[in-house]
Amino acid sequence: MGAGPALEPETVVAMLDGPAGAYVHIPFCSRICPFCPYNKVVPRGEQPSRYFTALTREIGELLDAGVAGTDGFTSVYVGGGTPTLFPEDLAVLLALLPCSGERAVECLPTHATPPRLADLRRAGVTAVSIGAQSFHDEVLRVLRRPHDGATARAAVRAAVGRFPLVDVDLIVDVTIDDRLGGAFLADLAECLAMGVDQVSTYPLMRFGYTPFGQAHHERRREHEVLAEATRLADGLGYERRSVWTFNRVGTPTYTSITRRRFVGFGAGASSYLGRDFLVEHFGVQTYIDALAAGRLPVAHWLHLGALGGLGYDAFWQAYGGLISPSSLVGYQPWQRALPAVLVPLQLAGLLSREGTADQAQYRLTPRGFDRYHDLERWVTYQLIEPLWAQMLAEHAAEGNALAWADPGRARRGTAWRLAARLLERDEVTGTRGTSAARR
Ligand SMILES: C[S@@+](CC[C@H](N)C(=O)[O-])C[C@H]1O[C@@H](n2cnc3c(N)ncnc32)[C@H](O)[C@@H]1O
Ligand code: SF4
């Protein structure tokens, strides 16, 4: 892979077709969990401070070009890695990002102590996601998490009521769960009893390049467990708000992925601009070097066009359980064809139609949720894993091979190679003159 297309901040802003949220990636963890596929390194020496300098520069370049419009970003989401590993730098970053909506941060349970949560609140954070995964020590041992169940429980208790929105991440893997006697449903019940606003129930994805490696999935058992979770949630005043989230009725949704448009900042961040999708360099040094050389750190630029953009939007609306074709504007001529494309899915019992003919909406049925769950796994393994494996190889190219990742063991992903061949913009790499000189 080359150093990436030489995109100007102004070009990025011109591609953005409406107000956007900001996603900021912090690629550092003090200990690596062997199941986790995300881009991160254990921090060494001065690298974190150089990283935050580069991140500040990237944000500044895009703000100068007008990326946040007049009202600021519609939301800010800081993920990782572990955003709470460097709390002072996090507070500085948050202050840089103008925002008219929620400010959300992923929080490691060991960092979610009352004083540190109070600091986050003072820094303007309105939503936190606590990475509990489970309250069962046996599950956390299998996942080799850096905390026990009591710490996860204390973190959730400390967060509930302190922020307008508290999400708790749980991991569900039916093989582990059946062996340990149904810990997942007990964990979910405990979250609901503690009054969390949203529980994200992520099925464990087994990326081939992680130490957990590839594994066969028991699809039917997964559908059953999620259906049981839905019944449990329904009985306690919660609803299935998306394929993998349960929300207290009436609360807002916490999400990093289903924003209509988002602009990513940081090593491994991606942006969705309406018809274009950008992926930034994963190698932390490559990311820092690109910005120091006056280039945006973009490694891939996929042009989805109107059809791809419509497909992308409809896919993520479906994740939230409701497709509203009339809200997917700007994709002429394809958007008029969307209702016809949905007819076979209705006939297959995956969607039910509601509303008037010109404002029709399509709701996922329980069977639709099951099929979407399977589709999401396919997308993860066939599109995301090959892309991330390719990008993680940048760490080795920097002379900094990741002890936890072996990109050679990743799924090959014919779908990703095809998508890249069809959609990738192969712009000439170069140093930006104008913007670099401005700063
Ligand atoms: C970046 S981590 C959360 C923040 C923090 N680093 C932590 O671990 O608490 C985001 C979430 O991704 C989920 N996750 C990580 N690896 C996963 C995998 N292999 N499959 C499914 N979900 C995963 C976990 O639920 C985790 O809480
Ligand atoms: S799950 Fe969280 S703490 Fe563990 S490696 Fe992934 S990002 Fe880091």
Side-chain angles (χ1 to χ4, degrees), residues 1-330:
M1 189 191 320
L7 269 179
E8 296 284 344
E10 291 75 10
T11 317
V12 173
V13 173
M15 288 192 281
L16 186 58
D17 68 355
Y23 172 79
V24 184
H25 193 78
I26 309 299
F28 300 109
C29 294
S30 51
R31 242 184 72 182
I32 303 293
C33 309
F35 62 90
C36 171
Y38 294 113
N39 186 38
K40 74 276 165 176
V41 293
V42 175
R44 281 182 306 132
E46 295 301 306
Q47 196 177 54
S49 116
R50 288 201 300 271
Y51 180 76
F52 282 105
T53 303
L55 195 50
T56 304
R57 179 170 183 163
E58 186 187 17
I59 292 169
E61 294 250 348
L62 278 146
L63 284 178
D64 285 356
V67 72
T70 46
D71 296 335
F73 292 110
T74 51
S75 62
V76 168
Y77 185 101
V78 192
T82 308
T84 46
L85 196 55
F86 297 102
E88 287 87 11
D89 297 288
L90 175 62
V92 172
L93 273 182
L94 287 167
L96 284 178
L97 293 158
C99 174
S100 58
E102 81 183 38
R103 290 163 180 270
V105 172
E106 290 177 354
C107 191
L108 188 71
T110 47
H111 295 164
T113 58
R116 290 186 69 167
L117 292 173
D119 286 345
L120 285 177
R121 193 73 187 95
R122 267 193 296 278
V125 172
T126 57
V128 286
S129 168
I130 309 285
Q133 322 308 343
S134 175
F135 302 120
H136 286 74
D137 289 341
E138 309 92 295
V139 177
L140 295 169
R141 267 197 295 274
V142 174
L143 297 175
R144 280 185 270 150
R145 286 288 286 172
H147 59 84
D148 60 10
T151 308
R153 197 173 281 121
V156 175
R157 284 217 182 91
V160 169
R162 198 183 284 273
F163 297 88
L165 209 166
V166 174
D167 164 89
V168 175
D169 289 347
L170 296 179
I171 286 264
V172 50
D173 181 275
V174 293
T175 322
I176 300 173
D177 200 54
D178 286 345
R179 187 151 42 87
L180 297 179
F184 163 69
L185 286 177
D187 288 331
L188 176 61
E190 195 168 344
C191 284
L192 305 187
M194 281 193 274
V196 302
D197 303 295
Q198 173 174 307
V199 187
S200 298
T201 55
Y202 294 125
L204 183 66
M205 296 290 176
R206 294 183 179 255
F207 282 63
Y209 60 72
T210 68
F212 265 38
Q214 299 185 22
H216 169 73
H217 291 283
E218 296 177 50
R219 279 174 44 229
R220 281 189 207 294
R221 185 77 192 105
E222 289 172 355
H223 299 162
E224 275 168 23
V225 169
L226 286 172
E228 282 178 56
T230 307
R231 283 192 288 276
L232 175 71
D234 280 349
L236 292 169
Y238 284 74
E239 62 191 1
R240 191 172 187 177
R241 187 73 64 79
S242 77
V243 176
W244 295 330
T245 56
F246 296 92
N247 283 69
R248 198 141 46 80
V249 173
T251 54
T253 306
Y254 176 101
T255 174
S256 63
I257 45 174
T258 55
R259 310 278 178 204
R260 194 171 168 270
R261 304 288 178 256
F262 54 89
V263 178
F265 302 96
S270 53
S271 305
Y272 177 56
L273 307 171
R275 295 175 183 219
D276 293 271
F277 193 83
L278 310 178
V279 185
E280 308 224 320
H281 286 292
F282 275 39
V284 177
Q285 196 55 49
T286 308
Y287 171 85
I288 294 170
D289 290 346
L291 282 150
R295 277 186 283 110
L296 282 187
V298 176
H300 283 290
W301 172 8
L302 302 179
H303 181 64
L304 309 185
L307 181 58
L310 177 65
Y312 183 97
D313 272 358
F315 178 80
W316 286 113
Q317 277 200 345
Y319 176 78
L322 189 68
I323 305 174
S324 306
S326 61
S327 71
L328 300 176
V329 290

